[in-house]
Amino acid sequence: MSLGSLLKQSIGLYRSNFLLFLGIFAFPALGHLCWIIAQRGLNHLRHPDWPQQAIVIRADWGLSIYSVNLVLTCLGACAYYVLAGLSLAAATGAVFKQSRPEPALIRGDFPGKRPHWFRFQSLQFVSAVRVWGILVAMMGTIVFGADVLDRFAAGMTIWYGIVGLTLVAAVPFGLWMHVRFAMAVPVSFIENLPIGAALDRSVQLTKGRRARIFAVVALVGGLRWILGIAGSLLAHAHIRSGPMAAVGSPLLSFVLDALIGPVYGIAMVLLYRDIRDQSPGSH
């Protein structure tokens, strides 16, 4: 299946079952929303002058606030990643059920799989640790180093250099690992494999197809990032005070996560189904 065909089928399936997939992926988006609100509340308690509507750099705040926020932001993204395990499992059931005559329903899909929901969630957690654990750990070292660097005149410059090096080294590694484990949840759902076997099976199935998977990740992630930046800029330009200044950006993040997440999830399930159809003896 070519990249163009994969995206076309994914968007078409999403449009024809919009409310179904929106409901499925609203769950991790809601969890991410709660995380962002809690993070902003923590910032406000520790630093009352921290602006809630945008990120503004002021040298007199010191490095610690930026370090903590970087780590909390990374952990928030990991929380969304982990919670998406249930959504990917539900999406797998919905996509595979499209070939059946009855309509797809969240509560009606594959009743025998319900006892395994915890396994799907645990699988996504293990995957998150392997994929993004190094990035979070490196960010953690930045937090502990912030107070030390604050004592030097060039501390801010050194800190940004360490952050840049961390992103350059850890993010590509995380993306590579993510592509390898992209089909772990669909594999565990359909083939009823435990966590370790599902991860190994995903690595096997993605061989020779990782460029397409990375392209989907880049396109969907890039679209999410561009829309997020554009929405934040518009909100900052028109909403400078009041409650909406504090909650506008988190709500925008929730809407974008819920709307765009299904495209990636459906694409991974469709690609997995296509690989199974092409592999003899895989059913």
Side-chain angles (χ1 to χ4, degrees), residues 27-253:
F27 170 67
L30 182 61
H32 193 211
L33 172 63
C34 294
W35 183 283
I36 295 174
I37 293 175
Q39 179 177 339
R40 287 181 173 236
L42 178 62
N43 288 337
H44 183 69
L45 289 175
R46 297 183 61 206
H47 305 274
D49 55 346
W50 174 268
Q52 297 299 303
Q53 72 273 22
I55 296 178
V56 178
I57 297 176
R58 279 174 44 184
D60 58 324
W61 277 335
L63 294 175
S64 60
I65 184 173
Y66 302 108
S67 301
V68 172
N69 269 281
L70 277 174
V71 174
L72 288 176
T73 299
C74 289
L75 288 175
C78 289
Y80 174 85
Y81 187 94
V82 171
L83 292 175
L86 291 180
S87 295
L88 286 171
T92 301
V95 170
F96 271 79
K97 199 173 182 181
Q98 293 304 308
S99 58
R100 300 184 179 184
E102 63 269 19
L105 300 172
I106 296 177
R107 294 199 312 173
D109 288 337
F110 294 78
K113 298 294 183 179
R114 290 176 188 168
H116 303 297
W117 289 128
F118 181 74
R119 186 183 73 201
F120 304 140
Q121 195 67 78
S122 301
L123 169 60
Q124 197 71 354
F125 175 78
V126 173
S127 176
V129 171
R130 293 192 181 185
V131 172
W132 303 116
I134 292 180
L135 175 62
V136 174
M138 293 177 73
M139 286 296 182
T141 61
I142 294 174
V143 170
F144 292 106
D147 291 334
V148 177
L149 292 174
D150 260 338
R151 304 170 187 173
F152 301 94
M156 181 75 78
T157 302
I158 297 173
W159 184 83
Y160 275 119
I162 296 175
V163 171
L165 180 62
T166 300
L167 295 177
V168 169
V171 171
F173 174 79
L175 290 173
W176 175 66
M177 293 292 289
H178 172 72
V179 168
R180 297 172 79 234
F181 296 152
M183 296 182 183
V185 173
V187 163
S188 181
F189 188 95
I190 297 299
E191 302 181 25
N192 197 30
L193 295 179
I195 294 175
L199 292 172
D200 292 339
R201 174 74 167 151
S202 177
V203 173
Q204 175 189 3
L205 291 175
T206 56
K207 287 182 179 178
R209 304 171 178 91
R210 290 171 186 167
R212 273 179 292 173
I213 297 174
F214 177 78
V216 174
V217 172
L219 288 173
V220 176
L223 177 62
R224 167 66 178 84
W225 182 77
I226 291 173
L227 292 178
I229 293 295
S232 296
L233 292 175
L234 288 175
H236 181 56
H238 298 284
I239 306 174
R240 296 183 177 273
S241 61
M244 284 303 299
V247 302
S249 180
L251 287 176
L252 174 65
S253 178

Side-chain angles (χ1 to χ4, degrees), residues 17-34:
N17 300 272
F18 176 74
L19 293 179
L20 170 67
F21 288 110
L22 180 65
I24 288 175
F25 283 88
F27 170 67
L30 182 61
H32 193 211
L33 172 63
C34 294

